[in-house]
Amino acid sequence: MSVVAIISTKGGAGKSTVAVHLAVAAALKKRRPLLIDFDKRQLSVLLWAKGLRKKARTPAFLKGNIETLAADIAVASRRHDLIIIDVAAGGGDNVRDIASIAEHVLVPVRASAFDMSATRNTFDLLRKSADSTEPVGIAHMNALGKAAIVLNCAPKRQSAKWRAELEDALQDCGGDEAPIIGTLSDRCAYSTAIENGQGVTEEQDDPDAVAEILDLYDGVVALEAKRAEKIRTMRRRK
Ligand SMILES: Nc1ncnc2c1ncn2[C@@H]1O[C@H](COP(=O)(O)OP(=O)(O)OP(=O)(O)O)[C@@H](O)[C@H]1O
Ligand SMILES: [Mg+2]
């Protein structure tokens, strides 16, 4: 069971898009995902799940409450094996607490210079958040250590020059410690699928979008596998 928090202090970075599509892809892969919506102002995930999706049974969803989050995760772990938390834009103690509790933090970053520099706040927040995950033996120095980047709204064709500039920009905003585990191009398929109460992996209208989401899901699975291997190694040494 893993808890993956989708965090960016910047509004409109793609948090809810990533959360919803990742959960749908996980269900397709026979995981038992639970989506927790922590965006009180918008409740995007709940609107999608309750208003647009209607009869679909997966993914399950829950309105987030920071007071009960640890207990909610403990209860959910009996029925779910992947918990995806959609976090509101902006910072604050609640976001730090969620970053601290989650095993993995995904930071969607829009691939433009403007958005990149605004992402500095997100990386600062993660650097200032503790990693309170168990076992303590493999905990990171801070939540930035368990963060990975999802590049969002990337151009469909990416030149080597574009990539080099992007890496420079990530370094400038302090995000170069985090690996890039997925790239979503700028595609209307993502918003269209959500408006239809679906994920692109269900609608299957845009095979390139499907491939991007499945790659991202594989990236998350690779993070989970790396963590599991660290735990096994630590236990063998004991
Ligand atoms: N890869 C993409 N291609 C095209 N449009 C996208 C993409 N990702 C997100 N969008 C659009 O950008 C807008 C913002 O995305 P989203 O709601 O996922 O961001 P967010 O980080 O959750 O925003 P907020 O901070 O307001 O919660 C939405 O209209 C969404 O449909
Ligand atoms: Mg959102």
Side-chain angles (χ1 to χ4, degrees):
M1 213 282 290
S2 299
V3 180
V4 178
I6 321 288
I7 295 179
S8 167
T9 58
K10 173 111 178 56
K15 296 175 286 293
S16 303
T17 301
V18 167
V20 161
H21 282 96
L22 205 51
V24 171
L28 186 80
K29 297 281 182 179
K30 306 285 180 238
R31 296 280 293 265
R32 288 166 290 136
L34 170 70
L35 266 169
I36 304 185
D37 193 337
F38 257 97
D39 193 344
K40 285 203 188 89
R41 279 178 308 123
Q42 305 187 85
L43 295 173
S44 313
V45 162
L46 292 191
L47 280 177
W48 172 79
K50 279 181 158 171
L52 303 170
R53 197 164 168 80
K54 298 191 175 107
K55 286 187 189 136
R57 293 174 64 203
T58 57
F61 53 88
L62 187 71
K63 191 169 162 186
N65 176 347
I66 199 68
E67 309 294 331
T68 59
L69 180 60
D72 290 343
I73 290 172
V75 170
S77 66
R78 293 183 214 137
R79 297 180 54 189
H80 300 282
D81 58 6
L82 181 62
I83 297 179
I84 298 169
I85 306 181
D86 183 27
V87 181
D93 289 348
N94 286 5
V95 180
R96 269 206 292 276
D97 287 348
I98 296 168
S100 166
I101 286 172
E103 275 108 23
H104 304 285
V105 174
L106 299 191
V107 182
V109 178
R110 282 191 180 239
S112 77
F114 200 51
D115 288 81
M116 284 277 175
S117 62
T119 308
R120 179 187 301 280
N121 292 339
T122 307
F123 295 124
D124 282 349
L125 176 139
L126 294 176
R127 204 174 284 109
K128 287 179 192 147
S129 307
D131 178 8
S132 64
T133 50
E134 304 275 349
V136 278
I138 65 147
H140 292 90
M141 297 260 295
N142 52 49
L144 186 58
K146 55 188 176 180
I149 291 168
V150 182
L151 278 185
N152 195 16
C153 291
K156 290 188 183 108
R157 289 209 188 96
Q158 300 161 14
S159 65
K161 181 171 171 279
W162 178 86
R163 190 82 195 180
E165 282 173 4
L166 180 105
E167 278 163 17
D168 281 351
L170 275 178
Q171 195 163 13
D172 282 349
C173 68
D176 54 318
E177 295 166 46
I180 298 171
I181 61 149
T183 301
L184 309 190
S185 306
D186 193 347
R187 298 178 192 281
C188 55
Y190 292 117
S191 48
T192 310
I194 287 180
E195 280 157 24
N196 294 336
Q198 303 234 289
V200 290
T201 46
E202 290 170 315
E203 264 201 351
Q204 303 270 339
D205 277 350
D206 182 340
D208 295 325
V210 175
E212 286 176 352
I213 292 297
L214 292 179
D215 274 355
L216 172 61
Y217 175 72
D218 287 346
V220 171
V221 171
L223 292 176
E224 293 180 289
K226 202 169 158 190
R227 183 179 150 82
E229 179 55 31
K230 263 191 184 172
I231 295 174
R232 276 195 297 275
T233 307
M234 186 195 77
R235 291 196 172 135
R236 271 198 300 269
R237 284 200 189 122
K238 272 192 178 167

